[in-house]
Amino acid sequence: MCRTTPSAGRKGRPRSAEADAAILSATRQALVDLGWSKLTMGDVAARAGVAKTTLYRRWAGKSELVVDAVAVLFDELELPPDRGSLAADAEYVVLQFAALLERPEARTALMAVVAESTRDEALRTRIRHAIVDRQKRLVLEGRRRAQERGELPYESDESAAARTADLIFDVVAGAVVHRSLVSAEPVDTQWARAFTVLLLGGLAAATGFAPSPR
Amino acid sequence: MCRTTPSAGRKGRPRSAEADAAILSATRQALVDLGWSKLTMGDVAARAGVAKTTLYRRWAGKSELVVDAVAVLFDELELPPDRGSLAADAEYVVLQFAALLERPEARTALMAVVAESTRDEALRTRIRHAIVDRQKRLVLEGRRRAQERGELPYESDESAAARTADLIFDVVAGAVVHRSLVSAEPVDTQWARAFTVLLLGGLAAATGFAPSPR
Amino acid sequence: MCRTTPSAGRKGRPRSAEADAAILSATRQALVDLGWSKLTMGDVAARAGVAKTTLYRRWAGKSELVVDAVAVLFDELELPPDRGSLAADAEYVVLQFAALLERPEARTALMAVVAESTRDEALRTRIRHAIVDRQKRLVLEGRRRAQERGELPYESDESAAARTADLIFDVVAGAVVHRSLVSAEPVDTQWARAFTVLLLGGLAAATGFAPSPR
Amino acid sequence: MCRTTPSAGRKGRPRSAEADAAILSATRQALVDLGWSKLTMGDVAARAGVAKTTLYRRWAGKSELVVDAVAVLFDELELPPDRGSLAADAEYVVLQFAALLERPEARTALMAVVAESTRDEALRTRIRHAIVDRQKRLVLEGRRRAQERGELPYESDESAAARTADLIFDVVAGAVVHRSLVSAEPVDTQWARAFTVLLLGGLAAATGFAPSPR
DNA sequence: GTTTAATCGAGACGGTACGTCCCGTCTTTGC
DNA sequence: GCAAAGACGGGACGTACCGTCTCGATTAAAC
């Protein structure tokens, strides 16, 4: 999480663990109060009751700090014990993800760090490890359940299966993010249901027609 | 486009149309060279050979300026004369949109202004009018063609049809943006084809299985 | 008064004489309201109901404009019909001059244009002609009256007489200005009387002692 | 000298004393090169090799900075060991003061800050403490010497003596400043002698006549 | 129980960009 | 051809943060 591992050097005063927690918490609160672009390192330090140097000793800059601060929010996403069908699981995940994107700290931070990462390879990697990759478990777990239920086949080609999982992930996450942040329309139950129908059944199902797919 | 309409009052020296064009062009070039976060109003003014006050007379800030500067890029997206099938049209649009997102000025600007807009209602409206809404024509035109070909039904419920179009738009745009910018993976022909199959046929088609949708 | 003589060119619309008066009046009011350093050309133009170009067509800049605007104030200084003695005349002039320096427009403008003139030969000349030289008449007239009364001798050496008049002028004006603006102490009747005693009788009179001047 | 006393709180990095000296020196040089009205805070900072914020941390603005920068020049004024008579002492001080006013940094700064102070009580106080009051010692010391020599009486009324000293100060300083800056004529030995004669002996001595002061 | 060294807070430092104000000029339309 | 209006290129303003650098004062492991 931190810039340099404090356990590397063994002598001297160890870094305060409380400070870390206070900083990340202060960062989230500052995101709520100010939004990404008005958030400043100095303000976070003041909120956390910490000197600016203490921040910079742990994080290289605002982007890295914010990625770590919001990453834990995404870890709260979970599949519920059992919803009975792939459609129900998908709908549940969509609504849960949408609820997360309603939180102002996630809302303002997510797009901002992604934008920042378009010109910063290290940041891109950090986002991927801290946020993106960890949510793919939802797709994998959903597929596993659907396969157990017999809703989806067990695929023999593992790399093809991985590609499909990535595709599903981009479609689901992308659609929800786009609806919520770009189109700025609510992701409510009605939309989630329509999206799930489209996802599972394609345009055929979404329009009540039987096209002849290629 | 501008902060205040100069045509409102007809007295005094009129605003320079050349300056407008120079500023927008300079903004795009600065986005390529510096990226969103390093782009400054002063730098854009200098590149455009224009005083900072001339910028601020027209745009309230960096976000508004950048939205207008990149909006024209999105207007270049077009459906080709004829591709024969809905699948082919969709694939074409996906690849064309992906190509746009490969352009550094669009790549760095799009997410940044969306992030900014999460706390700025006026900016949200501006983005919607200048960028988002204008691309929905691709979905509508694609549907019209598919309907003419008999691939999609003519829907009687207009509001339902509009909702479906919005859904398709969010899914397509969201998936491509997420793949390209968040997952940071290439949107190549292979991916575009897989996505199109999923979009038209649903998970059933994507996994080669026949699920029983709800 | 003006930058270029408007009578030089005979064709086209003649310059408005009302504008001149309005501008000078607006300048004085702006000096009262804002002081020298906050006074701007644009503000004066707006107060006068005149375009900025109209100002610049007549005056080269703020300094020149202000010199002309305050010059008329100094022309109001006059010796009264008769006060009976040189001492009384001197005291009267001192108090009258002090009253002028109490007016905020004169107070803030006088030192400012003098300061500006230290690096501007043309402005120095303008100040001398418009303000300084014209007040020397008070010294000359005072001397003439004193000579008629027999209080002062008729000097035969005219250049020496002129030098003495200049000296008196610098001493009187300088003392009052310094007391009022630099020391920032009031020039009241008591001070004016003490100053007059010193001026006429020297330190001997001022301290009630008989020194032995060189 | 500074805006806030850094010695108040003893925590944090102390202010650089070198920066203070560099800034004041740079200010004097900028006054010589540019004059008061063209001197800018940014230019002074650049000359001093210092950030603009470092200036503003110490001085509220240009006026305060310049007062401190030129104050030291006035401290160089001194009475010489012994000149034998009050007249000689006075003449010496007049010439020394005139020499100071020949220095372009003093010339351009003095009137400017006085002009500024007409609408700024705090600045007026600052000028009085940093410049004006400290030069009154010359008058007091000159009187003390003259009293020792028997040229002037020891006055019993202390407040009257103080008033007289203030009067002398305003007359001497005012006359020299007015001659040098307003009349823009040289303060040479001849003028200094004529002024001293007037000061010590009054108009009687200056015109070679015996008036009958009131 | 000292050393010893990395930590902590505070805040000054050299910088960069901000968005505003004013400068003095130029380019319109209208009298 | 002058006037009002207002846009123009330009420069300085004073502020806000940046990320770094001293400071003196802890603080805990190593000796």
Side-chain angles (χ1 to χ4, degrees), chain B residues 54-77:
Chain B
T54 300
L55 259 80
Y56 283 109
R57 210 172 280 124
R58 290 164 162 77
W59 291 278
K62 180 165 142 171
S63 302
E64 289 79 4
L65 171 59
V66 168
V67 169
D68 286 357
V70 301
V72 301
L73 300 179
F74 286 82
D75 287 336
E76 296 173 5
L77 297 178

Side-chain angles (χ1 to χ4, degrees), chain D residues 22-35 38-51 55:
Chain D
I23 291 167
L24 291 174
S25 173
T27 303
R28 282 186 292 270
Q29 193 56 50
L31 282 171
V32 173
D33 295 348
L34 309 169
K38 299 247 189 298
L39 176 147
T40 69
M41 296 294 270
D43 183 79
V44 169
R47 283 168 188 260
V50 140
L55 259 79

Side-chain angles (χ1 to χ4, degrees), chain D residues 12-14 40-42 52-53 56:
Chain D
R13 179 174 173 176
T40 69
M41 296 294 270
K52 251 196 311 175
T53 45
Y56 283 108

Side-chain angles (χ1 to χ4, degrees), chain A residues 26 32 36 62 89 95 113 125 156 171 176 179:
Chain A
V32 172
W36 160 268
K62 179 164 143 172
D89 280 355
L95 288 172
V113 295
T125 305
S156 51
V171 170
V176 174
R179 170 78 177 179

Side-chain angles (χ1 to χ4, degrees), chain A residues 140-155:
Chain A
L140 299 176
E141 172 67 6
R143 176 166 67 179
R144 199 187 55 74
R145 289 189 189 181
Q147 287 170 334
E148 287 182 352
R149 288 190 205 100
E151 293 177 295
L152 287 178
Y154 290 93
E155 294 174 81

Side-chain angles (χ1 to χ4, degrees), chain A:
Chain A
M1 168 187 284
C2 294
R3 204 172 189 178
T4 55
T5 311
S7 58
R10 292 166 307 283
K11 286 173 69 171
R13 179 173 173 177
R15 287 189 186 160
S16 161
E18 293 174 18
D20 269 69
I23 291 167
L24 291 174
S25 173
T27 303
R28 281 186 292 270
Q29 192 56 49
L31 282 171
V32 172
D33 295 348
L34 308 170
W36 160 268
S37 64
K38 298 249 188 297
L39 177 147
T40 70
M41 296 295 270
D43 182 80
V44 169
R47 283 168 187 260
V50 140
K52 267 199 301 175
T53 41
T54 301
L55 259 78
Y56 282 109
R57 211 172 280 123
R58 290 163 161 81
W59 289 277
K62 179 164 143 172
S63 302
E64 289 79 4
L65 171 60
V66 168
V67 169
D68 286 357
V70 299
V72 302
L73 301 179
F74 287 83
D75 288 336
E76 296 172 6
L77 297 177
E78 279 303 334
L79 274 186
D82 194 340
R83 313 269 308 177
S85 73
L86 174 55
D89 280 355
E91 198 178 307
Y92 179 85
V93 165
V94 162
L95 288 172
Q96 209 185 13
F97 187 38
L100 175 58
L101 290 182
E102 285 301 309
R103 297 181 64 167
E105 62 271 41
R107 205 176 170 74
T108 193
L110 185 60
M111 291 294 94
V113 295
V114 168
E116 211 59 28
S117 78
T118 58
R119 303 190 46 104
D120 182 341
E121 170 61 27
L123 182 60
R124 204 150 52 229
T125 305
R126 191 186 198 98
I127 292 173
R128 191 198 294 249
H129 289 153
I131 300 182
V132 179
D133 280 354
R134 289 156 75 174
Q135 310 319 319
K136 288 196 176 160
R137 62 193 157 80
L138 297 173
V139 173
L140 299 176
E141 172 67 6
R143 176 166 67 179
R144 199 187 55 74
R145 289 189 189 181
Q147 287 170 334
E148 287 182 352
R149 288 190 205 100
E151 293 177 295
L152 287 178
Y154 290 93
E155 294 174 81
S156 51
D157 183 346
E158 281 197 17
S159 85
R163 275 202 305 278
T164 303
D166 285 350
L167 173 63
I168 303 300
F169 180 67
D170 282 327
V171 170
V172 174
V176 174
V177 168
H178 201 273
R179 170 78 177 179
S180 180
L181 301 185
V182 182
S183 295
E185 301 279 358
V187 176
D188 50 19
T189 307
Q190 185 183 12
W191 188 89
R193 184 151 299 163
F195 171 68
T196 305
V197 167
L198 174 66
L199 179 67
L200 269 56
L203 268 180
T207 59
F209 192 70
S212 52
R214 83 170 44 217

